[in-house]
Amino acid sequence: MGTVTQTPLANLGPAEQLRAGRMPRRLAQLLVGLWLYGVSMGLMIRSGLGQVPWDVLHYGLALHLPLSIGQVVVVASFVVLLLWIPLRQAPGLGTILNAVLIGVALDVTLAMVTAPSAVAIRIAFMVVGILGNALATALYIGAQLGPGPRDGLMTGWSRRTGWSLRLVRTSLEVVVVAVGWLLGGVLGVGTVLYAIAIGPLTQHLLPLFTVPLEEREPVSDASR
């Protein structure tokens, strides 16, 4: 058995992620995080006070396609994964599960939760949605089983261009929000608060939920 390292986030390929140990804990945390992510997106939509930036695009597309918004999320995730090819990004298990489960959880949430009429409840939905999304992000990233399709697009683009991750993220989100708004997506105070709060909240929560991986001895040339 290897010893446990306290390195916050490891830079591992897809196969290495699966061999890094603690799979029951990491897989459970990944699944909880992805489901919570979809639920938090649903609460933001039901609040009517603004959507997550990428959801502005998803919602706008759903208005023009014979698909639910959750189905649009799934399709868009796999389209984004195609953009990984020129960036030479390799998806992990978490990447594929991210592409599927979040959209399913979103549709389930929207089917179970109706839009409230009381302003106080709408505000509560928005706040819980933002906080829940930050927690969900820390959970699935902390599982260290691969980035989500959109996260990988940002990091891959940043690596290939040399642009800062902040600049890449801002550029992408400005584009998707603008296109989504033109298609009928909903902008609001929730969109602005999400954009301001999600980074600091995730940064604060991530160390709490990053699963330390097992440090394995390097394979010697003689044993290859």
Side-chain angles (χ1 to χ4, degrees):
M1 291 289 293
T3 58
V4 175
T5 178
Q6 297 300 318
T7 302
L9 284 174
N11 184 19
L12 303 176
E16 294 172 308
Q17 293 164 7
L18 297 176
R19 294 196 298 263
R22 301 194 168 189
M23 276 300 291
R25 155 77 189 274
R26 293 164 63 208
L27 185 57
Q29 180 172 310
L30 172 71
L31 295 175
V32 170
L34 295 178
W35 195 266
L36 177 59
Y37 199 100
V39 171
S40 67
M41 288 165 61
L43 292 177
M44 288 283 290
I45 290 172
R46 287 298 188 227
S47 77
L49 296 174
Q51 299 163 352
V52 172
W54 276 92
D55 270 355
V56 178
L57 176 61
H58 298 146
Y59 189 88
L61 288 171
L63 294 176
H64 301 275
L65 297 172
L67 299 172
S68 68
I69 185 172
Q71 292 169 334
V72 170
V73 170
V74 173
V75 172
S77 295
F78 283 100
V79 171
V80 169
L81 281 177
L82 294 177
L83 300 178
W84 283 32
I85 296 174
L87 298 175
R88 298 181 182 177
Q89 291 272 99
L93 174 63
T95 309
I96 303 303
L97 291 177
N98 183 301
V100 176
L101 285 185
I102 289 178
V104 174
L106 174 57
D107 274 349
V108 170
T109 302
L110 294 177
M112 296 178 63
V113 179
T114 57
S117 56
V119 174
I121 299 178
R122 292 169 61 195
I123 293 174
F125 275 19
M126 177 189 69
V127 172
V128 172
I130 293 172
L131 295 176
N133 196 275
L135 174 58
T137 302
L139 285 168
Y140 87 72
I141 291 178
Q144 306 206 65
L145 283 166
R150 295 153 189 80
D151 298 325
L153 178 62
M154 290 184 232
T155 57
W157 189 3
S158 175
R159 187 182 65 250
R160 295 283 288 182
T161 63
W163 295 2
S164 71
L165 191 58
R166 178 177 299 180
L167 176 59
V168 171
R169 176 169 185 162
T170 301
S171 301
L172 281 172
E173 292 189 348
V174 166
V175 171
V176 299
V177 166
V179 173
W181 178 72
L182 291 172
L183 291 172
V186 180
L187 289 171
V189 63
T191 310
V192 176
L193 290 177
Y194 179 92
I196 293 172
I198 195 64
L201 286 172
T202 302
Q203 183 176 352
H204 176 73
L205 292 169
L206 186 57
L208 302 176
F209 294 100
T210 298
V211 182
L213 304 181
E214 291 182 354
E215 186 177 287
R216 298 181 180 273
E217 297 295 330
V219 179
S220 65
D221 292 336
S223 64
R224 289 178 182 170

Coordinates of all heavy atoms in Angstrom, one line a residue, residues 31-43 70 74 100-112:
L31 N -20.6 11.5 -7.3 CA -22.0 11.3 -7.7 C -22.9 12.3 -6.9 O -23.8 12.9 -7.5 CB -22.5 9.9 -7.4 CG -21.8 8.8 -8.3 CD1 -22.2 7.4 -7.9 CD2 -22.1 9.1 -9.8
V32 N -22.6 12.5 -5.6 CA -23.3 13.4 -4.8 C -23.1 14.9 -5.3 O -24.1 15.6 -5.5 CB -22.9 13.4 -3.3 CG1 -23.5 14.5 -2.5 CG2 -23.4 12.0 -2.7
G33 N -21.9 15.2 -5.7 CA -21.6 16.5 -6.2 C -22.3 16.8 -7.5 O -22.8 17.9 -7.7
L34 N -22.3 15.9 -8.4 CA -22.9 16.1 -9.7 C -24.4 16.2 -9.6 O -25.0 17.1 -10.2 CB -22.5 15.0 -10.7 CG -21.0 14.8 -11.0 CD1 -20.8 13.6 -11.9 CD2 -20.5 16.1 -11.7
W35 N -25.0 15.4 -8.7 CA -26.5 15.5 -8.5 C -26.8 16.8 -7.9 O -27.8 17.5 -8.3 CB -27.0 14.3 -7.7 CG -28.5 14.2 -7.8 CD1 -29.4 14.7 -7.0 CD2 -29.2 13.5 -8.9 NE1 -30.7 14.4 -7.4 CE2 -30.6 13.6 -8.6 CE3 -28.8 12.8 -10.0 CZ2 -31.6 13.1 -9.4 CZ3 -29.8 12.2 -10.8 CH2 -31.1 12.4 -10.5
L36 N -26.1 17.2 -6.9 CA -26.3 18.5 -6.2 C -26.2 19.6 -7.2 O -26.9 20.6 -7.1 CB -25.4 18.6 -5.0 CG -25.5 20.0 -4.2 CD1 -26.9 20.2 -3.7 CD2 -24.5 20.0 -3.1
Y37 N -25.2 19.5 -8.1 CA -25.0 20.6 -9.1 C -26.3 20.8 -9.9 O -26.7 21.9 -10.2 CB -23.8 20.2 -10.0 CG -23.2 21.4 -10.7 CD1 -22.0 22.0 -10.3 CD2 -23.8 21.8 -11.9 CE1 -21.5 23.0 -10.9 CE2 -23.2 22.9 -12.6 CZ -22.1 23.5 -12.1 OH -21.5 24.6 -12.8
G38 N -26.8 19.7 -10.4 CA -28.1 19.8 -11.2 C -29.2 20.3 -10.4 O -30.0 21.1 -10.9
V39 N -29.3 19.9 -9.1 CA -30.4 20.4 -8.2 C -30.2 21.9 -8.0 O -31.2 22.7 -8.1 CB -30.4 19.7 -6.9 CG1 -31.3 20.4 -5.9 CG2 -30.7 18.2 -7.0
S40 N -29.0 22.4 -7.8 CA -28.8 23.8 -7.6 C -29.1 24.6 -8.8 O -29.6 25.7 -8.7 CB -27.3 24.0 -7.1 OG -26.4 23.7 -8.2
M41 N -28.8 24.1 -10.0 CA -29.2 24.8 -11.2 C -30.7 24.9 -11.3 O -31.2 25.9 -11.8 CB -28.6 24.0 -12.4 CG -27.1 24.1 -12.6 SD -26.4 22.9 -13.7 CE -27.2 23.3 -15.2
G42 N -31.4 23.8 -11.0 CA -32.8 23.8 -11.0 C -33.4 24.9 -10.1 O -34.4 25.6 -10.5
L43 N -32.9 25.0 -8.9 CA -33.4 26.0 -8.0 C -33.1 27.4 -8.5 O -34.0 28.3 -8.3 CB -32.7 25.9 -6.6 CG -33.0 24.6 -5.8 CD1 -32.2 24.5 -4.5 CD2 -34.5 24.5 -5.5
G70 N -32.6 20.0 -19.4 CA -31.6 19.0 -19.0 C -31.1 18.2 -20.1 O -29.8 17.9 -20.2
V74 N -27.1 17.9 -21.5 CA -26.3 16.7 -21.8 C -25.7 16.8 -23.2 O -24.6 16.6 -23.5 CB -27.2 15.5 -21.7 CG1 -26.5 14.2 -22.3 CG2 -27.7 15.3 -20.3
V100 N -23.5 13.6 -18.2 CA -24.8 12.9 -18.2 C -25.6 13.3 -17.0 O -26.8 13.7 -17.1 CB -24.6 11.4 -18.3 CG1 -25.9 10.7 -18.2 CG2 -23.9 11.0 -19.6
L101 N -25.1 13.2 -15.8 CA -25.9 13.2 -14.6 C -26.4 14.6 -14.2 O -27.5 14.7 -13.7 CB -25.0 12.7 -13.4 CG -24.8 11.2 -13.3 CD1 -24.0 10.9 -12.0 CD2 -26.1 10.5 -13.3
I102 N -25.7 15.7 -14.5 CA -26.1 17.0 -14.2 C -27.4 17.3 -14.9 O -28.4 17.8 -14.3 CB -25.1 18.0 -14.5 CG1 -23.9 17.9 -13.5 CG2 -25.6 19.5 -14.4 CD1 -22.8 18.9 -13.7
G103 N -27.5 17.0 -16.2 CA -28.7 17.2 -17.0 C -29.9 16.4 -16.4 O -31.0 16.9 -16.4
V104 N -29.7 15.2 -16.0 CA -30.7 14.3 -15.5 C -31.2 14.9 -14.2 O -32.4 15.1 -14.0 CB -30.2 12.9 -15.3 CG1 -31.3 12.1 -14.6 CG2 -29.8 12.3 -16.6
A105 N -30.3 15.3 -13.3 CA -30.7 15.9 -12.0 C -31.4 17.2 -12.2 O -32.4 17.5 -11.4 CB -29.4 16.1 -11.2
L106 N -31.0 18.0 -13.2 CA -31.7 19.2 -13.5 C -33.2 19.0 -13.9 O -34.1 19.6 -13.3 CB -31.0 20.0 -14.6 CG -31.6 21.3 -15.1 CD1 -31.9 22.3 -14.0 CD2 -30.8 21.9 -16.2
D107 N -33.4 18.1 -14.8 CA -34.8 17.8 -15.2 C -35.6 17.2 -14.1 O -36.8 17.5 -14.0 CB -34.8 16.8 -16.4 CG -34.6 17.5 -17.7 OD1 -34.7 18.7 -17.8 OD2 -34.4 16.8 -18.8
V108 N -35.0 16.3 -13.3 CA -35.8 15.8 -12.1 C -36.2 16.9 -11.1 O -37.3 17.0 -10.6 CB -34.9 14.7 -11.4 CG1 -35.6 14.3 -10.1 CG2 -34.8 13.5 -12.3
T109 N -35.2 17.8 -10.9 CA -35.5 18.9 -10.0 C -36.6 19.8 -10.5 O -37.6 20.2 -9.8 CB -34.2 19.8 -9.8 OG1 -33.2 18.9 -9.2 CG2 -34.5 20.9 -8.8
L110 N -36.6 20.2 -11.8 CA -37.6 21.0 -12.4 C -39.0 20.3 -12.4 O -40.0 21.0 -12.3 CB -37.2 21.4 -13.8 CG -35.9 22.3 -13.9 CD1 -35.6 22.6 -15.4 CD2 -36.2 23.6 -13.2
A111 N -39.0 19.0 -12.5 CA -40.2 18.3 -12.5 C -40.8 18.2 -11.1 O -42.1 18.2 -10.9 CB -40.0 16.8 -13.0
M112 N -40.0 18.3 -10.1 CA -40.5 18.2 -8.7 C -40.7 19.5 -8.0 O -41.5 19.6 -7.0 CB -39.5 17.4 -7.9 CG -39.3 15.9 -8.3 SD -38.1 15.0 -7.3 CE -38.8 15.1 -5.7

